[in-house]
Amino acid sequence: MKVNMKKIAFTLCLSLLLVALMASCSCDGKVKVTEDKAEIKFDTLSHDFGQVPKDSTVSYEFVFHNIGATPLRLTEVMSSCGCTLVDYPHGSVDPGERASIKAVYDSHNRPAGHFQKSIRVVSNAKTGFLRLSISGDVEE
């Protein structure tokens, strides 16, 4: 029986690659931990609502993950304007878990035209401070 060493090597490499990919993936929806302390990673840092009807409210959830090795705690989440309310987790987010910050923009008594608001996020993460932003255009 003739053994093809190239086929054996290819099969072995492919098997090792699949094992490595499976080890880095979690089937329970958790994100792989990559830091030695708490670390926050957002799916996106900004959101554009597009056209916003006058005298309405719109909301968006900024999803984030704790990719660190210790619990993440948001110590301050504050919007730049009273027209934007935020709701966020007040407890800790365990390593590998996901959570979200909900931003609600209220266009009541706001002038028509473009708006851009920021949300300051302070935490015990390695990057202790970051800014989220929302924008859009209030219709006439």
Side-chain angles (χ1 to χ4, degrees):
M1 179 159 105
K2 188 174 180 181
V3 177
N4 187 337
M5 292 304 287
K6 287 183 180 180
K7 284 184 180 179
I8 292 173
F10 176 77
T11 304
L12 182 60
C13 288
L14 184 60
S15 298
L16 289 173
L17 177 64
L18 287 172
V19 168
L21 285 171
M22 288 172 55
S24 69
C25 180
S26 176
C27 295
D28 60 2
K30 291 187 178 182
V31 173
K32 185 177 177 192
V33 172
T34 60
E35 296 292 334
D36 61 351
K37 62 183 277 187
E39 184 56 77
I40 192 168
K41 181 176 189 284
F42 280 88
D43 291 353
T44 184
L45 297 175
S46 63
H47 178 72
D48 185 350
F49 288 109
Q51 294 295 317
V52 175
K54 191 165 182 65
D55 297 329
S56 68
T57 58
V58 290
S59 66
Y60 181 77
E61 289 198 34
F62 289 95
V63 175
F64 65 90
H65 305 267
N66 178 2
I67 61 169
T70 61
L72 171 71
R73 288 179 191 81
L74 303 180
T75 55
E76 180 183 326
V77 179
M78 187 182 335
S79 67
S80 61
C81 176
C83 60
T84 305
L85 301 175
V86 291
D87 185 26
Y88 62 97
H90 293 279
S92 61
V93 178
D94 290 331
E97 295 290 331
R98 72 177 220 145
S100 64
I101 295 173
K102 183 177 184 178
V104 180
Y105 177 76
D106 186 351
S107 69
H108 289 85
N109 300 319
R110 306 301 303 172
H114 186 73
F115 68 89
Q116 183 162 357
K117 306 299 176 186
S118 65
I119 300 164
R120 175 185 165 100
V121 179
V122 180
S123 70
N124 68 330
K126 183 175 153 186
T127 47
F129 165 80
L130 57 87
R131 218 173 269 288
L132 305 172
S133 68
I134 58 170
S135 61
D137 294 290
V138 176
E139 296 174 337
E140 290 287 335

